[in-house]
Amino acid sequence: MSSERRIILHLGLPKTGTTTIQNVFFMNRDLLLQNRILYPSVASNLTTPLCTIFQENPSKHIANRMANLTAEEIDSRRRSYLESLDTELSSFAWSTCLLSAEGVSNLSASEITKLREWGEKYATNWTILVCVRHPVSYVRSVIQQLMKGGDTLQQLYSTLPLPNYRGRISNAISVFGRENVRVFDFESAIAVDGGLIKTFIERADLPSSLQDSLVSQAVRDNESLSLEAVLILDALNRQRPMFVGGTRSGRRSGQELAYLSRIRGQKFDVPDHVKRTIRMRTQEDVAWLNETFELNLYDDIRTFRPYVENQEPSGHSDKTLSDPAIDTIAEIISELVTAKTFYCVLEGGRAALARGDLERAKHMFQEAMRLDPDAQQPRRLLRQVSVRRQASSPIPSQGRRLKLRELLSRVKLRK
C-alpha cells in the first residue's frame, strides 16, 4: 500500500446535489483513471453498497427494505459488493479513490470505523467532504424524498426531518479527525461559475485540468414534485401505506412516482409555521456548524427570534383540488399502476418458469401475490414451481416414475 494514496469519502449530505456529482464522476471513470483517480464501478451512488457492507443491521437500509430481501439475500448482496470493491481497489493503479455515498452520514461511529478499517487496507490518508444546505430548503426537499418512501405530510410535519449537522458530521470527526473533514455550502456552490462540480473539485483537491470536461457534463437533477403531486402522494401514503409492520404491504407497487412526477402545478413549499419551527429548532445546530468549521452560514437562522402568533393549520390553503378529489385521484392512480405492475411481474414469472429458472419464477409469483392477494394465477403458478422442484430433486430410481405420476396427478400444468 502506498503512503501517497488517499481516499476521498463524500458524505453528501443528502439533498445537496449528490446525484449530480455522482453521475458526472461515474460517467467519466475512464478520464478519472487517466489521472490516477478511481471511482468504483459498483454503482454511481455507493450508499446501498457501503451501508449493506458496514451497517450492523443492513435489513433496515431503505433499498434492502424496498427490495423485500431475506437475510440470506442481503448477506449474499453484501459479499458481492465487498468483493467488487476489493477487486477494483486491488487491480487499478490509483493515487486517489473517490467514494460518494450520502447514506454513510447516517451510520454510527462504530459503523464508520469499520468502513475506515476496510479502506486502510489500501490507503491511510482520508479526506471527508460534506456539503450542507440551508435548513429550510433542506427540510423542504427531504420531506418530498421521505414521502417517496411512504411517509405522510402529517408525520413529517409533526416530526420534522431536520439536517442534524452535528449528529451527522460529528461521527465522521470522531473517526477521521476534525482536520480531515471539509464542509462547504450547497447554495454558495451552485451560485458560482462552474457550479457544484467546480466547487467539489476544488474542495477535494482534484486536478483543475478536470474542471472543463466535468463541469460541461453536469446536469442538475430536479426530482422535485409539484404541490399537487405531493398532495396526491400524501393521500396515497395515507390510504395505502408502503410498509405495514416493517414489511412491504400489498396492493402497492411503488411505481407511482413515475406518473406523479409528470403532474405539473404549483411549486411545493412547507407552511410558514413549519418554517418558523425549523429556524427555531436548528439555531444551536447552525451555531455548532459555524463554530466547528469557522463558517458564517445562514444568518437568518442565527438571528431568528421566535414570536407568538396564531399558527395556520398544517396543509396548504392554496391547493386547487378538494380533499375528496385528491383522495380519489390517489386511489385511481394506485389501482392502475399496481394492476400494470402485477401483469408485468406475472409475465416475468411465466418467462422464468418456461426457461427453468425456478428460483426467479418463485420470487416473481410471490411478488405478484403481494400486489394482488386475491388473484389466483400466481398461486397456481407457484404450485407448478413446487412440482417442478420436487420432480427434479434426487429420487431413488425405483420410485422415480411413481413419484412423477403422483405429482402430475395433483397439479394440472399450464403454460
Side-chain angles (χ1 to χ4, degrees):
M1 178 183 66
S2 171
S3 60
E4 299 301 316
R5 281 182 166 183
R6 68 170 177 144
I7 296 176
I8 299 173
L9 179 59
H10 173 218
L11 295 183
L13 298 180
K15 314 314 294 182
T16 57
T18 51
T19 301
T20 297
I21 294 169
Q22 290 159 356
N23 286 345
V24 167
F25 280 84
F26 188 76
M27 289 187 299
N28 289 276
R29 293 192 311 281
D30 290 342
L31 173 63
L32 294 173
L33 204 53
Q34 292 171 19
N35 289 268
R36 296 179 59 82
I37 302 167
L38 174 64
Y39 194 99
S41 64
V42 179
S44 58
N45 181 354
L46 289 172
T47 288
T48 295
L50 294 182
C51 287
T52 300
I53 294 170
F54 298 108
Q55 203 167 352
E56 292 178 6
N57 186 0
S59 63
K60 292 183 177 180
H61 182 59
I62 184 63
N64 295 329
R65 290 179 65 202
M66 291 293 290
N68 219 21
L69 299 178
T70 65
E72 292 76 15
E73 289 170 332
I74 291 174
D75 188 56
S76 174
R77 177 176 280 192
R78 188 194 70 82
R79 292 195 303 271
S80 176
Y81 284 145
L82 186 57
E83 181 180 355
S84 296
L85 287 171
D86 280 331
T87 297
E88 290 201 60
L89 269 68
S90 301
S91 302
F92 293 105
W94 55 272
S95 58
T96 298
C97 177
L98 174 55
L99 307 175
S100 180
E102 66 270 25
V104 172
S105 65
N106 294 320
L107 297 185
S108 66
S110 62
E111 291 167 337
I112 295 176
T113 298
K114 292 179 185 176
L115 190 159
R116 178 173 186 169
E117 290 170 350
W118 164 78
E120 292 198 341
K121 294 188 298 182
Y122 306 100
T124 55
N125 298 320
W126 292 79
T127 299
I128 313 303
L129 286 185
V130 183
C131 186
V132 296
R133 185 171 180 174
H134 189 286
V136 173
S137 62
Y138 172 87
V139 171
R140 181 193 301 121
S141 187
V142 170
I143 279 177
Q144 294 186 59
Q145 187 64 38
L146 293 176
M147 290 183 69
K148 295 173 183 178
D151 288 347
T152 67
L153 284 174
Q154 182 178 5
Q155 292 170 329
L156 295 168
Y157 287 164
S158 62
T159 308
L160 287 169
L162 302 174
N164 188 21
Y165 307 122
R166 185 170 190 165
R168 290 173 184 270
I169 302 174
S170 60
N171 284 337
I173 292 176
S174 69
V175 174
F176 296 103
R178 161 64 187 87
E179 68 279 6
N180 295 313
V181 180
R182 303 177 183 179
V183 171
F184 62 100
D185 173 55
F186 172 74
E187 282 87 0
S188 300
I190 62 175
V192 303
D193 236 6
L196 186 61
I197 298 300
K198 179 177 183 292
T199 302
F200 185 89
I201 290 172
E202 292 174 346
R203 296 305 175 94
D205 290 331
L206 297 177
S208 58
S209 58
L210 293 171
Q211 286 185 13
D212 290 343
S213 296
L214 299 185
V215 167
S216 66
Q217 298 180 54
V219 177
R220 187 175 172 186
D221 294 275
N222 185 4
E223 300 176 347
S224 297
L225 298 173
S226 66
L227 168 62
E228 290 80 359
V230 167
L231 295 176
I232 293 170
L233 179 57
D234 176 55
L236 177 58
N237 290 341
R238 284 188 281 104
Q239 296 177 94
R240 297 187 176 188
M242 188 80 76
F243 296 94
V244 174
T247 59
R248 288 289 300 278
S249 59
R251 305 187 189 281
R252 180 77 187 270
S253 72
Q255 304 299 316
E256 302 87 3
L257 286 172
Y259 299 89
L260 292 176
S261 62
R262 294 163 57 185
I263 298 177
R264 299 180 181 179
Q266 303 174 64
K267 182 178 179 179
F268 171 74
D269 199 0
V270 298
D272 287 343
H273 79 275
V274 172
K275 293 178 183 178
R276 290 193 292 272
T277 302
I278 295 169
R279 288 188 171 94
M280 180 175 63
R281 292 179 56 191
T282 57
Q283 278 188 308
E284 289 186 10
D285 208 22
V286 168
W288 175 88
L289 182 70
N290 284 325
E291 180 180 351
T292 303
F293 295 96
E294 299 179 354
L295 302 171
N296 190 28
L297 297 175
Y298 318 138
D299 185 65
D300 64 311
I301 302 289
R302 292 188 293 110
T303 61
F304 176 74
R305 295 292 182 270
Y307 55 93
V308 178
E309 65 175 38
N310 293 327
Q311 294 187 345
E312 61 185 90
S314 295
H316 300 267
S317 58
D318 56 349
K319 63 185 179 183
T320 57
L321 297 171
S322 67
D323 289 339
I326 291 170
D327 289 348
T328 304
I329 292 171
E331 188 175 3
I332 292 171
I333 289 176
S334 179
E335 288 177 357
L336 293 173
V337 175
T338 300
K340 179 181 178 181
T341 307
F342 168 82
Y343 285 110
C344 288
V345 170
L346 190 65
E347 289 307 307
R350 289 183 189 274
L353 182 60
R355 64 175 180 267
D357 188 348
L358 301 183
E359 190 61 35
R360 176 68 174 170
K362 176 184 175 183
H363 177 78
M364 299 292 273
F365 295 145
Q366 287 176 335
E367 176 65 4
M369 286 176 60
R370 183 188 70 80
L371 291 168
D372 188 352
D374 298 329
Q376 295 303 308
Q377 304 100 308
R379 300 177 188 279
R380 290 195 291 265
L381 290 164
L382 267 175
R383 288 196 289 269
Q384 289 190 32
V385 172
S386 178
V387 166
R388 293 198 183 185
R389 276 185 159 177
Q390 293 182 57
S392 62
S393 62
I395 302 173
S397 57
Q398 63 269 25
R400 187 180 302 278
R401 290 185 180 180
L402 290 173
K403 184 67 174 176
L404 288 173
R405 286 176 184 172
E406 177 188 349
L407 291 170
L408 293 173
S409 67
R410 286 163 46 194
V411 179
K412 184 178 179 181
L413 294 177
R414 295 185 177 184
K415 291 185 178 181

